[in-house]
Amino acid sequence: MTGNRRDEIPEHQMTGSSELCNDHEKTSFLSYVDREVGTTEAKNAKDASVTTENQTRIIQRIRMDTVYRSKFLLSVWICIAFIVLGLFAGHTGPAFPDLRLIVNKDLSTSSWLLTAGTTGYLAGSLICGVLYDRFNRLLLLFLVIMGMSLTSGIMPWCSLFPLMVTVRAISGACAGGLDTGGNAVIATIWGVEGRPYMQTVHFSFAVGGIISPLITEPFLAPKRTEMIEEPLNQKQSTSAANISHTDVLPSCLNSTNCTFTELEYWGDTKVQYAYLISTIIGILSAIPFLVSYLQRNSEPQTKEQQDVNEASRRISTQLSNIQKIGLMILLMLLFHLYCAVEDTFASYLMTFSLLHLNWTKLKGSLATAVFWASFGFGRFLGIFIIRLMHPTKMLFLYCTFLIISLASFTVGSVLLFDPVVWLFSSLNGFAMSIIFPTIFSWTEENVMPVSGKIASLFLIAASSGTMLNPLYLGYLMENKSPLWFPYLLLGQSILCLLAFVIVFICTKTCIKRESRKELEIYCQGKEEEQENLKLSHA
């Protein structure tokens, strides 16, 4: 790259006297390199302007450009698949208490269901990352969507806890494969042109999350109450959560030595049918990938997409392998912390509302649906905001807003003030909405191209966060206090912002350091040129 850099320097900088490497020229050169690597907002705005000028309207391109039409349709199929991914993810929170009823386990033990899902998700991300560059990607997406749909549909029918955990892990593996493959395909076929497409894909995931609690709620086990007559000398303490229809003690209507107790218990669950609906939708969403595979046998590859990716490749070539590894570790930490917050909030909001706020299941499901609605609305706005604001600013602002929102949610929960809890449940969803896809876009433009392996590493880090959180959160909520739910998430959100700031500073520092090296090489070249010029004149 350094050899080409010299050729790219403007002519007026290649001539002059012995003062060629003065401070003014160094400043000009560094500004030039900065513009070249795309680290300023002016560069991104210029690229967006050029892209807009060179493109016709989307509808015209779909009609006239066969390759563009193929890329656009593939993006649509991936969006539909991510709606299904959101459906199954959205089932987890509202259905979790009913899954506990099916296997008859306490909260701490049942939390292994969530851990199994994220463990499988981690394994699926890793496997899909390896297969992404070696296997037909359309067929791979078809297989993981089918696997996710079928195993998720089977899971609530498993009454044995080990069997349910196993099926949940397989389903999570397929979901991890879909998430990895879908993100990698979008990044590959669109490159830096794919900012709005990446946001649209993750908005589709949010749409599934919005719909899911509404599908789940009618099939949840209802809470019932029953008046129980007990002789005073036989009165016993019975857990309301475990009592069933056969727990009623013998009647004492003819005795005057009786007391009446109101007992609550859960009725029969039909949550299996909610999963069945999503399974049918999932199977239908997999068919276009199979048809596309049979028709084309590969996703569209063009010279245009190679040119679009060239900007991020230029930045990547400026970083040494050690620098790339260090930045990857920091980015993985960022994904780990963020996804731990996002997934845990959506999964445990229903449980927290039942244990601490004493809400009904209907109220908890509505709160979860409000969270997903705000989450989806935020991702919809992200499709347009990403065109107007640099990803760096977006990530900083949204991470800061997430901290403020979770802090307010925590205060409302401690004071048991429902309006505040409702408001900031919604705002939490909005604050979380664009962070995940924007990290992908920011990495693609400012660090390195997002290949299948890199996408899998990101999602492995993400799934490790969602895998570990349920283990200690379930224990803390059951044995300490349900308030550990907002406490833990608030702490992790603060660390998330800190991790992003560190990654940003390290990225800027690495690129500037490499730019200074290029400056030294450039100045050495100028000095050699001057020596050769003097010798030729002599």
Side-chain angles (χ1 to χ4, degrees):
M1 179 175 176
T2 54
N4 294 334
R5 177 70 63 194
R6 185 177 172 184
D7 295 337
E8 292 175 2
I9 303 302
E11 251 185 31
H12 70 275
Q13 292 183 12
M14 297 292 291
T15 59
S17 62
S18 59
E19 303 292 327
L20 290 170
C21 287
N22 56 29
D23 291 340
H24 174 71
E25 185 173 357
K26 289 179 182 180
T27 304
S28 301
F29 181 82
L30 286 175
S31 299
Y32 173 77
V33 172
D34 236 14
R35 290 195 302 271
E36 279 295 292
V37 298
T39 56
T40 63
E41 291 187 33
K43 175 66 169 62
N44 285 283
K46 181 179 177 182
D47 287 343
S49 176
V50 171
T51 301
T52 303
E53 291 175 3
N54 293 336
Q55 290 180 347
T56 58
R57 299 171 68 179
I58 291 179
I59 296 178
Q60 292 176 336
R61 292 190 70 186
I62 293 174
R63 290 177 179 174
M64 300 172 61
D65 189 337
T66 303
V67 174
Y68 183 87
R69 181 166 60 249
S70 298
K71 292 163 63 175
F72 184 83
L73 287 175
L74 178 56
S75 301
V76 171
W77 306 143
I78 292 175
C79 287
I80 295 173
F82 269 63
I83 291 176
V84 176
L85 186 63
L87 282 175
F88 288 117
H91 283 317
T92 304
F96 185 52
D98 283 46
L99 295 177
R100 288 178 54 199
L101 289 176
I102 293 172
V103 295
N104 194 26
K105 298 293 181 181
D106 59 24
L107 177 60
S108 180
T109 304
S110 300
S111 293
W112 279 99
L113 282 173
L114 303 181
T115 300
T118 50
T119 303
Y121 194 98
L122 187 152
S125 299
L126 177 62
I127 294 170
C128 188
V130 173
L131 295 178
Y132 180 81
D133 298 317
R134 305 179 184 181
F135 198 72
N136 186 278
R137 297 160 196 181
L138 296 173
L139 183 59
L140 182 63
L141 289 173
F142 167 76
L143 292 175
V144 294
I145 295 170
M146 286 293 293
M148 177 186 67
S149 302
L150 293 174
T151 52
S152 296
I154 293 171
M155 182 185 65
W157 298 93
C158 302
S159 57
L160 297 177
F161 184 66
L163 180 59
M164 182 180 286
V165 169
T166 302
V167 175
R168 170 73 175 170
I170 297 172
S171 175
C174 294
L178 172 58
D179 207 351
T180 300
N183 281 290
V185 167
I186 292 295
T188 299
I189 65 175
W190 293 111
V192 294
E193 189 186 5
R195 283 187 191 176
Y197 296 98
M198 185 69 75
Q199 296 288 339
T200 304
V201 165
H202 288 274
F203 164 68
S204 302
F205 173 82
V207 170
I210 296 168
I211 299 171
S212 184
L214 303 179
I215 296 175
T216 308
E217 196 278 329
F219 300 102
L220 297 177
K223 180 180 284 188
R224 294 175 179 170
T225 59
E226 190 163 345
M227 297 300 297
I228 304 299
E229 301 172 296
E230 296 180 346
L232 288 177
N233 58 354
Q234 295 183 20
K235 186 177 180 180
Q236 56 182 302
S237 177
T238 307
S239 173
N242 297 325
I243 194 166
S244 64
H245 293 285
T246 58
D247 291 323
V248 180
L249 296 177
S251 174
C252 58
L253 289 176
N254 297 326
S255 172
T256 59
N257 217 12
C258 287
T259 184
F260 292 90
T261 305
E262 183 181 282
L263 293 178
E264 294 182 345
Y265 62 93
W266 298 113
D268 296 329
T269 180
K270 297 180 181 178
V271 74
Q272 298 91 336
Y273 298 106
Y275 278 89
L276 180 61
I277 293 171
S278 298
T279 296
I280 294 171
I281 298 173
I283 292 173
L284 294 176
S285 72
I287 294 175
F289 292 96
L290 179 61
V291 173
S292 298
Y293 165 71
L294 296 175
Q295 288 180 344
R296 185 172 55 247
N297 210 38
S298 66
E299 76 277 356
Q301 298 286 341
T302 66
K303 175 68 166 61
E304 179 189 46
Q305 85 184 43
Q306 296 173 3
D307 295 338
V308 169
N309 289 331
E310 188 59 31
S312 61
R313 287 192 173 92
R314 281 204 305 272
I315 298 170
S316 181
T317 55
Q318 292 194 54
L319 304 174
S320 66
N321 289 333
I322 295 177
Q323 289 171 336
K324 289 179 183 178
I325 292 172
L327 288 172
M328 277 298 302
I329 292 173
L330 290 171
L331 286 167
M332 289 173 68
L333 176 62
L334 177 59
F335 273 104
H336 173 91
L337 291 168
Y338 165 71
C339 290
V341 174
E342 179 194 309
D343 188 80
T344 304
F345 190 88
S347 299
Y348 275 85
L349 180 58
M350 166 73 94
T351 303
F352 175 72
S353 67
L354 294 175
L355 292 178
H356 181 72
L357 303 175
N358 294 319
W359 288 2
T360 63
K361 280 192 174 182
L362 174 60
K363 197 173 180 179
S365 294
L366 289 176
T368 305
V370 168
F371 164 81
W372 282 109
S374 178
F375 187 84
F377 178 69
R379 284 198 163 168
F380 178 73
L381 286 182
I383 299 171
F384 307 100
I385 295 175
I386 197 68
R387 298 175 181 269
L388 306 174
M389 187 182 296
H390 192 273
T392 303
K393 281 187 176 179
M394 290 182 68
L395 286 173
F396 181 80
L397 291 174
Y398 274 76
C399 286
T400 303
F401 182 42
L402 176 60
I403 293 172
I404 296 172
S405 181
L406 277 171
S408 303
F409 178 86
T410 302
V411 172
S413 300
V414 171
L415 300 177
L416 295 176
F417 192 47
D418 284 3
V420 171
V421 174
W422 274 98
L423 175 62
F424 287 98
S425 293
S426 172
L427 292 180
N428 284 338
F430 184 84
M432 296 177 192
S433 59
I434 60 92
I435 295 177
F436 189 90
T438 305
I439 297 175
F440 267 94
S441 297
W442 184 78
T443 303
E444 175 75 25
E445 295 179 30
N446 296 279
V447 185
M448 63 190 75
V450 180
S451 64
K453 291 180 181 178
I454 290 176
S456 70
L457 289 174
F458 286 167
L459 291 169
I460 286 169
S463 59
S464 66
T466 57
M467 175 181 67
L468 296 176
N469 255 25
L471 290 179
Y472 38 77
L473 183 58
Y475 172 81
L476 290 171
M477 289 178 66
E478 188 165 57
N479 295 281
K480 302 295 182 180
S481 168
L483 283 171
W484 273 101
F485 169 67
Y487 294 161
L488 180 65
L489 299 190
L490 177 59
Q492 288 175 328
S493 66
I494 294 172
L495 293 176
C496 184
L497 176 60
L498 181 61
F500 170 68
V501 171
I502 294 173
V503 173
F504 173 74
I505 293 173
C506 290
T507 302
K508 299 289 286 186
T509 302
C510 289
I511 291 175
K512 285 182 179 179
R513 184 181 295 118
E514 293 302 314
S515 298
R516 284 194 292 270
K517 290 180 181 178
E518 289 194 4
L519 174 61
E520 293 174 3
I521 295 172
Y522 166 68
C523 290
Q524 290 174 4
K526 300 278 283 207
E527 291 173 0
E528 292 175 3
E529 184 180 341
Q530 285 297 313
E531 291 295 330
N532 293 335
L533 187 61
K534 289 178 182 179
L535 291 174
S536 64
H537 284 305

PDB file of all heavy atoms in Angstrom, residues 398-417:
ATOM      1  N   TYR A 398     -26.484   6.373  21.597  1.00  0.00           N
ATOM      2  CA  TYR A 398     -27.435   5.339  22.001  1.00  0.00           C
ATOM      3  C   TYR A 398     -26.951   4.587  23.247  1.00  0.00           C
ATOM      4  O   TYR A 398     -27.756   4.200  24.095  1.00  0.00           O
ATOM      5  CB  TYR A 398     -27.688   4.370  20.846  1.00  0.00           C
ATOM      6  CG  TYR A 398     -28.780   4.831  19.899  1.00  0.00           C
ATOM      7  CD1 TYR A 398     -28.559   5.841  18.981  1.00  0.00           C
ATOM      8  CD2 TYR A 398     -30.044   4.261  19.937  1.00  0.00           C
ATOM      9  CE1 TYR A 398     -29.555   6.276  18.118  1.00  0.00           C
ATOM     10  CE2 TYR A 398     -31.057   4.674  19.083  1.00  0.00           C
ATOM     11  CZ  TYR A 398     -30.803   5.685  18.177  1.00  0.00           C
ATOM     12  OH  TYR A 398     -31.806   6.110  17.334  1.00  0.00           O
ATOM     13  N   CYS A 399     -25.641   4.349  23.368  1.00  0.00           N
ATOM     14  CA  CYS A 399     -25.128   3.694  24.572  1.00  0.00           C
ATOM     15  C   CYS A 399     -25.343   4.582  25.798  1.00  0.00           C
ATOM     16  O   CYS A 399     -25.699   4.087  26.882  1.00  0.00           O
ATOM     17  CB  CYS A 399     -23.643   3.376  24.404  1.00  0.00           C
ATOM     18  SG  CYS A 399     -23.300   1.992  23.287  1.00  0.00           S
ATOM     19  N   THR A 400     -25.136   5.878  25.644  1.00  0.00           N
ATOM     20  CA  THR A 400     -25.371   6.807  26.750  1.00  0.00           C
ATOM     21  C   THR A 400     -26.847   6.838  27.134  1.00  0.00           C
ATOM     22  O   THR A 400     -27.205   6.820  28.325  1.00  0.00           O
ATOM     23  CB  THR A 400     -24.907   8.219  26.358  1.00  0.00           C
ATOM     24  OG1 THR A 400     -23.520   8.189  25.984  1.00  0.00           O
ATOM     25  CG2 THR A 400     -25.088   9.188  27.513  1.00  0.00           C
ATOM     26  N   PHE A 401     -27.714   6.876  26.133  1.00  0.00           N
ATOM     27  CA  PHE A 401     -29.152   6.891  26.385  1.00  0.00           C
ATOM     28  C   PHE A 401     -29.598   5.605  27.085  1.00  0.00           C
ATOM     29  O   PHE A 401     -30.469   5.617  27.964  1.00  0.00           O
ATOM     30  CB  PHE A 401     -29.899   7.072  25.068  1.00  0.00           C
ATOM     31  CG  PHE A 401     -31.392   7.140  25.203  1.00  0.00           C
ATOM     32  CD1 PHE A 401     -31.979   7.858  26.233  1.00  0.00           C
ATOM     33  CD2 PHE A 401     -32.217   6.488  24.308  1.00  0.00           C
ATOM     34  CE1 PHE A 401     -33.367   7.927  26.363  1.00  0.00           C
ATOM     35  CE2 PHE A 401     -33.596   6.535  24.428  1.00  0.00           C
ATOM     36  CZ  PHE A 401     -34.169   7.259  25.457  1.00  0.00           C
ATOM     37  N   LEU A 402     -28.976   4.472  26.722  1.00  0.00           N
ATOM     38  CA  LEU A 402     -29.315   3.194  27.353  1.00  0.00           C
ATOM     39  C   LEU A 402     -28.987   3.223  28.841  1.00  0.00           C
ATOM     40  O   LEU A 402     -29.766   2.735  29.669  1.00  0.00           O
ATOM     41  CB  LEU A 402     -28.554   2.058  26.659  1.00  0.00           C
ATOM     42  CG  LEU A 402     -28.738   0.658  27.261  1.00  0.00           C
ATOM     43  CD1 LEU A 402     -30.207   0.240  27.223  1.00  0.00           C
ATOM     44  CD2 LEU A 402     -27.874  -0.356  26.512  1.00  0.00           C
ATOM     45  N   ILE A 403     -27.857   3.802  29.205  1.00  0.00           N
ATOM     46  CA  ILE A 403     -27.487   3.899  30.615  1.00  0.00           C
ATOM     47  C   ILE A 403     -28.505   4.742  31.384  1.00  0.00           C
ATOM     48  O   ILE A 403     -28.968   4.357  32.470  1.00  0.00           O
ATOM     49  CB  ILE A 403     -26.074   4.514  30.756  1.00  0.00           C
ATOM     50  CG1 ILE A 403     -25.030   3.551  30.182  1.00  0.00           C
ATOM     51  CG2 ILE A 403     -25.766   4.836  32.210  1.00  0.00           C
ATOM     52  CD1 ILE A 403     -23.640   4.140  30.111  1.00  0.00           C
ATOM     53  N   ILE A 404     -28.879   5.880  30.817  1.00  0.00           N
ATOM     54  CA  ILE A 404     -29.856   6.767  31.479  1.00  0.00           C
ATOM     55  C   ILE A 404     -31.206   6.053  31.633  1.00  0.00           C
ATOM     56  O   ILE A 404     -31.846   6.110  32.686  1.00  0.00           O
ATOM     57  CB  ILE A 404     -30.020   8.066  30.672  1.00  0.00           C
ATOM     58  CG1 ILE A 404     -28.713   8.852  30.654  1.00  0.00           C
ATOM     59  CG2 ILE A 404     -31.147   8.921  31.246  1.00  0.00           C
ATOM     60  CD1 ILE A 404     -28.712  10.043  29.727  1.00  0.00           C
ATOM     61  N   SER A 405     -31.623   5.356  30.588  1.00  0.00           N
ATOM     62  CA  SER A 405     -32.917   4.677  30.611  1.00  0.00           C
ATOM     63  C   SER A 405     -32.934   3.538  31.626  1.00  0.00           C
ATOM     64  O   SER A 405     -33.896   3.378  32.387  1.00  0.00           O
ATOM     65  CB  SER A 405     -33.235   4.149  29.201  1.00  0.00           C
ATOM     66  OG  SER A 405     -34.491   3.519  29.179  1.00  0.00           O
ATOM     67  N   LEU A 406     -31.868   2.733  31.675  1.00  0.00           N
ATOM     68  CA  LEU A 406     -31.822   1.626  32.634  1.00  0.00           C
ATOM     69  C   LEU A 406     -31.721   2.142  34.065  1.00  0.00           C
ATOM     70  O   LEU A 406     -32.289   1.528  34.984  1.00  0.00           O
ATOM     71  CB  LEU A 406     -30.630   0.717  32.322  1.00  0.00           C
ATOM     72  CG  LEU A 406     -30.853  -0.329  31.228  1.00  0.00           C
ATOM     73  CD1 LEU A 406     -29.553  -1.022  30.864  1.00  0.00           C
ATOM     74  CD2 LEU A 406     -31.898  -1.358  31.665  1.00  0.00           C
ATOM     75  N   ALA A 407     -31.027   3.258  34.261  1.00  0.00           N
ATOM     76  CA  ALA A 407     -30.955   3.846  35.605  1.00  0.00           C
ATOM     77  C   ALA A 407     -32.349   4.288  36.073  1.00  0.00           C
ATOM     78  O   ALA A 407     -32.737   4.061  37.230  1.00  0.00           O
ATOM     79  CB  ALA A 407     -29.983   5.024  35.606  1.00  0.00           C
ATOM     80  N   SER A 408     -33.105   4.884  35.177  1.00  0.00           N
ATOM     81  CA  SER A 408     -34.466   5.312  35.522  1.00  0.00           C
ATOM     82  C   SER A 408     -35.380   4.119  35.760  1.00  0.00           C
ATOM     83  O   SER A 408     -36.222   4.135  36.668  1.00  0.00           O
ATOM     84  CB  SER A 408     -35.024   6.188  34.392  1.00  0.00           C
ATOM     85  OG  SER A 408     -34.188   7.307  34.147  1.00  0.00           O
ATOM     86  N   PHE A 409     -35.234   3.065  34.958  1.00  0.00           N
ATOM     87  CA  PHE A 409     -36.006   1.836  35.154  1.00  0.00           C
ATOM     88  C   PHE A 409     -35.708   1.238  36.523  1.00  0.00           C
ATOM     89  O   PHE A 409     -36.619   0.752  37.223  1.00  0.00           O
ATOM     90  CB  PHE A 409     -35.664   0.836  34.050  1.00  0.00           C
ATOM     91  CG  PHE A 409     -36.356  -0.493  34.173  1.00  0.00           C
ATOM     92  CD1 PHE A 409     -37.627  -0.688  33.659  1.00  0.00           C
ATOM     93  CD2 PHE A 409     -35.720  -1.556  34.806  1.00  0.00           C
ATOM     94  CE1 PHE A 409     -38.263  -1.930  33.776  1.00  0.00           C
ATOM     95  CE2 PHE A 409     -36.353  -2.791  34.931  1.00  0.00           C
ATOM     96  CZ  PHE A 409     -37.620  -2.970  34.410  1.00  0.00           C
ATOM     97  N   THR A 410     -34.453   1.289  36.933  1.00  0.00           N
ATOM     98  CA  THR A 410     -34.057   0.758  38.235  1.00  0.00           C
ATOM     99  C   THR A 410     -34.718   1.543  39.365  1.00  0.00           C
ATOM    100  O   THR A 410     -35.242   0.959  40.329  1.00  0.00           O
ATOM    101  CB  THR A 410     -32.526   0.812  38.387  1.00  0.00           C
ATOM    102  OG1 THR A 410     -31.914   0.065  37.332  1.00  0.00           O
ATOM    103  CG2 THR A 410     -32.085   0.246  39.726  1.00  0.00           C
ATOM    104  N   VAL A 411     -34.709   2.860  39.260  1.00  0.00           N
ATOM    105  CA  VAL A 411     -35.342   3.697  40.287  1.00  0.00           C
ATOM    106  C   VAL A 411     -36.840   3.404  40.368  1.00  0.00           C
ATOM    107  O   VAL A 411     -37.405   3.258  41.467  1.00  0.00           O
ATOM    108  CB  VAL A 411     -35.098   5.191  39.983  1.00  0.00           C
ATOM    109  CG1 VAL A 411     -35.909   6.066  40.928  1.00  0.00           C
ATOM    110  CG2 VAL A 411     -33.616   5.521  40.091  1.00  0.00           C
ATOM    111  N   GLY A 412     -37.506   3.310  39.216  1.00  0.00           N
ATOM    112  CA  GLY A 412     -38.934   3.003  39.206  1.00  0.00           C
ATOM    113  C   GLY A 412     -39.238   1.648  39.810  1.00  0.00           C
ATOM    114  O   GLY A 412     -40.260   1.472  40.498  1.00  0.00           O
ATOM    115  N   SER A 413     -38.352   0.669  39.580  1.00  0.00           N
ATOM    116  CA  SER A 413     -38.559  -0.674  40.139  1.00  0.00           C
ATOM    117  C   SER A 413     -38.379  -0.681  41.649  1.00  0.00           C
ATOM    118  O   SER A 413     -39.138  -1.330  42.371  1.00  0.00           O
ATOM    119  CB  SER A 413     -37.581  -1.662  39.486  1.00  0.00           C
ATOM    120  OG  SER A 413     -37.776  -1.724  38.084  1.00  0.00           O
ATOM    121  N   VAL A 414     -37.379   0.033  42.123  1.00  0.00           N
ATOM    122  CA  VAL A 414     -37.146   0.099  43.575  1.00  0.00           C
ATOM    123  C   VAL A 414     -38.326   0.755  44.278  1.00  0.00           C
ATOM    124  O   VAL A 414     -38.774   0.300  45.349  1.00  0.00           O
ATOM    125  CB  VAL A 414     -35.840   0.869  43.868  1.00  0.00           C
ATOM    126  CG1 VAL A 414     -35.708   1.135  45.362  1.00  0.00           C
ATOM    127  CG2 VAL A 414     -34.634   0.093  43.361  1.00  0.00           C
ATOM    128  N   LEU A 415     -38.876   1.806  43.673  1.00  0.00           N
ATOM    129  CA  LEU A 415     -40.003   2.532  44.281  1.00  0.00           C
ATOM    130  C   LEU A 415     -41.353   1.894  43.968  1.00  0.00           C
ATOM    131  O   LEU A 415     -42.385   2.379  44.451  1.00  0.00           O
ATOM    132  CB  LEU A 415     -40.000   3.983  43.787  1.00  0.00           C
ATOM    133  CG  LEU A 415     -38.752   4.807  44.114  1.00  0.00           C
ATOM    134  CD1 LEU A 415     -38.862   6.196  43.509  1.00  0.00           C
ATOM    135  CD2 LEU A 415     -38.547   4.883  45.626  1.00  0.00           C
ATOM    136  N   LEU A 416     -41.357   0.830  43.139  1.00  0.00           N
ATOM    137  CA  LEU A 416     -42.594   0.150  42.729  1.00  0.00           C
ATOM    138  C   LEU A 416     -43.568   1.133  42.083  1.00  0.00           C
ATOM    139  O   LEU A 416     -44.780   1.084  42.313  1.00  0.00           O
ATOM    140  CB  LEU A 416     -43.256  -0.543  43.920  1.00  0.00           C
ATOM    141  CG  LEU A 416     -42.470  -1.697  44.555  1.00  0.00           C
ATOM    142  CD1 LEU A 416     -43.199  -2.221  45.782  1.00  0.00           C
ATOM    143  CD2 LEU A 416     -42.234  -2.820  43.551  1.00  0.00           C
ATOM    144  N   PHE A 417     -43.030   2.019  41.265  1.00  0.00           N
ATOM    145  CA  PHE A 417     -43.835   3.034  40.587  1.00  0.00           C
ATOM    146  C   PHE A 417     -44.061   2.575  39.142  1.00  0.00           C
ATOM    147  O   PHE A 417     -43.201   2.741  38.278  1.00  0.00           O
ATOM    148  CB  PHE A 417     -43.133   4.384  40.638  1.00  0.00           C
ATOM    149  CG  PHE A 417     -44.000   5.541  40.213  1.00  0.00           C
ATOM    150  CD1 PHE A 417     -45.295   5.688  40.705  1.00  0.00           C
ATOM    151  CD2 PHE A 417     -43.523   6.480  39.314  1.00  0.00           C
ATOM    152  CE1 PHE A 417     -46.092   6.748  40.313  1.00  0.00           C
ATOM    153  CE2 PHE A 417     -44.306   7.552  38.916  1.00  0.00           C
ATOM    154  CZ  PHE A 417     -45.601   7.687  39.418  1.00  0.00           C
TER     155      PHE A 417
END
